[in-house]
Each structure stands twice: as structure tokens, then as C-alpha cells.
Amino acid sequence: MALFHLFLLILMVPSSSNAYWPPSPGYWPSSKFRSISFYKGYRNLWGPQHQSVDPNALTIWLDRTSGSGFKSVKPFRSGYFGASIKLQPGYTAGVITAFYLSNNEAHPGHHDEVDIEFLGTTFGKPYTLQTNVYIRGSGDGKIIGREMKFHLWFDPTRNFHHYAILWSPKELIFLVDDVPIRRYPRKSAATFPLRPMWVYGSIWDASSWATEDGKYKADYRYQPFVARYTNFKAGGCSAYAPAWCRPVSASPYRSGGLTRQQHRAMRWVQSHHLVYNYCRDPKRDHSLTPECWG
């Protein structure tokens, strides 16, 4: 009887090959970088009255008066940038919680940007994690986004999870709890960010587009909308580093790229949780996104 119960328990434990949890990536880039305090790596950018810091976490919030944002104290030309984030449950339509790279302040109207954005939602529907890449954006409404959107395999409001961007001269890799979810390779200088960028985080009202293309707006009866960040990690080559500074890698390969096991985990995520890919959108003008052709 004991063996029978043990057999039942084994059957009840989900395996890594099922559609509930991704296979192990076999390598954990976040473990290669020490956590830093918010004050060591970042400063408030806007909405200081909607931001608080304790020894373990930064809390930022949005209400009808303001949101809040922060920025790294130095720019980088490559590196690993991560934070553990916990999102607001309930009605969050129209609200964006973001962690991203940008050089908009250095190149206004002509900037590069690499985004992890959490698109708020309505009751009973999951958050959408949007990844995006802008290259020398025009800033006049004609910015060409390269969006891939995912529904996560867990509830991001229940616990902290680690989200990261790895940027090297060869590729961009987006990771969730060290699982690669998207790789954006450098196919040409025209379609890849090459100028130094800063690291940012923010929470703000994007009611015009964030939730089901703007169908649902921010409802301030549910304010404040709160996001918590902790376990900040930033390592790599700052814009001031010597030329011999080596870009970091998302895998054991110093030259970059992903292992076979990491590719397997990424394919699993894209098979089970990808909900939008700009390269497969027939409504997009793909002459503007030549990286989709190959």
C-alpha cells in the first residue's frame, strides 16, 4: 500500500516536460551577479512622492495624481540587468509596470529602447508581459516596435519573480527566472541598439493602449496601483569602461548565445505562452522590420 501511495504521489508531481512549468534552462545567469541596493545603482527620476525604499525593496505606485520612475546612475554599453518584481493583483487595466533600457534622454526623438513591460488587466484575466525593441525611434508616432507578448506560467502578483535583459553586441536575451523567453540577435547595425543606454523602471497610466488596445482604462477607484522591486542586479560594461571590457553572456559560452538546454526552455515558453509575435502579424508592414525576413 505504501508503494502504491508513493506511485500516486509521483504521478501527481508535474514533470518538466508538461505544459505547466518550463524545462530547466540548466544555467542561471542571475547567480553570476551580486544584488545591489537601490541607492547604490539607481536614483529617483520622477514622482518622488510616489516612491519609497526600505532595506529590502523599492515600492512605487500610481494614483490619479502621478506615477513614478527611477533610473540607473550610469549608462552601459552592454550587460545583464535584472530585478525581482511583484505586481498588483485585481483590476489594473491601463497600468504599465516597466523595467527597461533606454537612451531617450541622450537622444530625444531618435532613441533606442529595450523593454520589459507588464500590461495591466481586468478581473480574472492574466497580466501580459510585453518585450519590445526600438531602434533609433522617430518619436513622432512612427516608432517601429518589435513586440513579443507572453502570458506567464505563474501568477506574478503572488510572489517576486526575477526579470532580466541581457544586452551584448551580438544579441538581446529576455529572461524570466533565468528562463530565456526571447532572443533578438543582431542581424544588422540598422536593427540593433548599439549606443549606451541607462536602466529604468516605472509605473504609469497607458490607458490609451495598454489593455486590449485601450478597450479598458485605468480605474482610479482601485488606486493606488503598486509595484515592488527588489534584488536589483546590473553587471557588464558601463559606457565609461575600458575598451577591453568583455560583454557578459547569458550562457556558459563566453562568446554568447544559448545552450541547447536553454534553447529547449525558450522553445517551450514560446510554444505554450507566446500570445503575440510582431513578425507573424499580417497587419504589420514588414518592410520596416527586415529582421523578420530571415
Side-chain angles (χ1 to χ4, degrees):
M1 183 63 72
L3 287 174
F4 177 73
H5 286 155
L6 179 62
F7 177 72
L8 285 178
L9 284 171
I10 292 171
L11 289 178
M12 291 168 65
V13 174
S15 71
S16 62
S17 62
N18 65 21
Y20 298 102
W21 209 262
S24 168
Y27 186 78
W28 292 267
S30 67
S31 68
K32 307 303 176 184
F33 302 93
R34 289 183 178 180
S35 297
I36 59 173
S37 70
F38 174 77
Y39 285 128
K40 183 174 181 180
Y42 296 89
R43 61 175 176 83
N44 174 263
L45 183 63
W46 60 284
Q49 73 280 15
H50 287 67
Q51 188 174 113
S52 67
V53 183
D54 64 36
N56 298 313
L58 166 76
T59 301
I60 57 176
W61 62 93
L62 166 72
D63 62 24
R64 65 176 68 254
T65 66
S66 179
S68 187
F70 58 91
K71 177 184 179 180
S72 62
V73 296
K74 60 185 177 182
F76 295 83
R77 66 173 187 259
S78 67
Y80 174 96
F81 313 100
S84 295
I85 303 172
K86 186 177 180 182
L87 302 176
Q88 170 104 352
Y91 187 99
T92 54
V95 178
I96 297 288
T97 303
F99 185 74
Y100 61 104
L101 310 177
S102 178
N103 49 32
N104 183 51
E105 292 173 279
H107 306 284
H110 199 250
H111 73 288
D112 309 299
E113 188 168 313
V114 181
D115 298 321
I116 290 175
E117 297 175 307
F118 300 94
L119 312 186
T121 189
T122 57
F123 292 115
K125 293 186 178 180
Y127 270 89
T128 298
L129 186 154
Q130 174 170 280
T131 63
N132 207 349
V133 180
Y134 294 114
I135 311 299
R136 290 183 287 282
S138 66
D140 62 1
K142 297 179 182 177
I143 293 175
I144 306 305
R146 294 164 167 83
E147 304 93 342
M148 287 180 68
K149 302 179 183 180
F150 302 83
H151 286 161
L152 295 163
W153 52 94
F154 53 82
D155 180 351
T157 72
R158 296 188 62 148
N159 296 294
F160 283 95
H161 290 269
H162 199 70
Y163 307 91
I165 298 165
L166 188 137
W167 172 38
S168 80
K170 294 182 178 180
E171 62 197 352
L172 289 160
I173 297 174
F174 299 83
L175 303 111
V176 176
D177 290 337
D178 287 308
V179 176
I181 63 169
R182 176 184 182 182
R183 178 175 179 264
Y184 181 90
R186 175 179 173 178
K187 294 190 175 181
S188 72
T191 61
F192 197 81
L194 298 171
R195 298 174 296 181
M197 292 189 283
W198 285 258
V199 191
Y200 294 82
S202 61
I203 188 166
W204 56 289
D205 185 333
S207 290
S208 63
W209 63 271
T211 305
E212 298 186 33
D213 295 323
K215 180 180 178 181
Y216 298 99
K217 316 293 185 185
D219 187 337
Y220 289 100
R221 292 178 298 174
Y222 302 107
Q223 70 175 27
F225 301 103
V226 178
R228 300 192 74 210
Y229 295 70
T230 189
N231 194 24
F232 290 97
K233 300 196 174 191
C237 299
S238 78
Y240 317 118
W244 48 258
C245 181
R246 291 183 61 92
V248 299
S249 173
S251 75
Y253 307 141
R254 293 192 67 185
S255 59
L258 297 172
T259 66
R260 182 177 299 179
Q261 194 168 347
Q262 287 176 308
H263 273 293
R264 178 171 171 255
M266 184 170 68
R267 285 195 301 270
W268 182 95
V269 172
Q270 294 188 1
S271 294
H272 292 94
H273 294 279
L274 180 67
V275 295
Y276 177 82
N277 182 347
Y278 74 106
C279 283
R280 299 176 188 166
D281 186 344
K283 299 187 295 294
R284 297 290 295 268
D285 180 356
H286 291 299
S287 67
L288 302 174
T289 55
E291 71 276 7
C292 292
W293 304 346

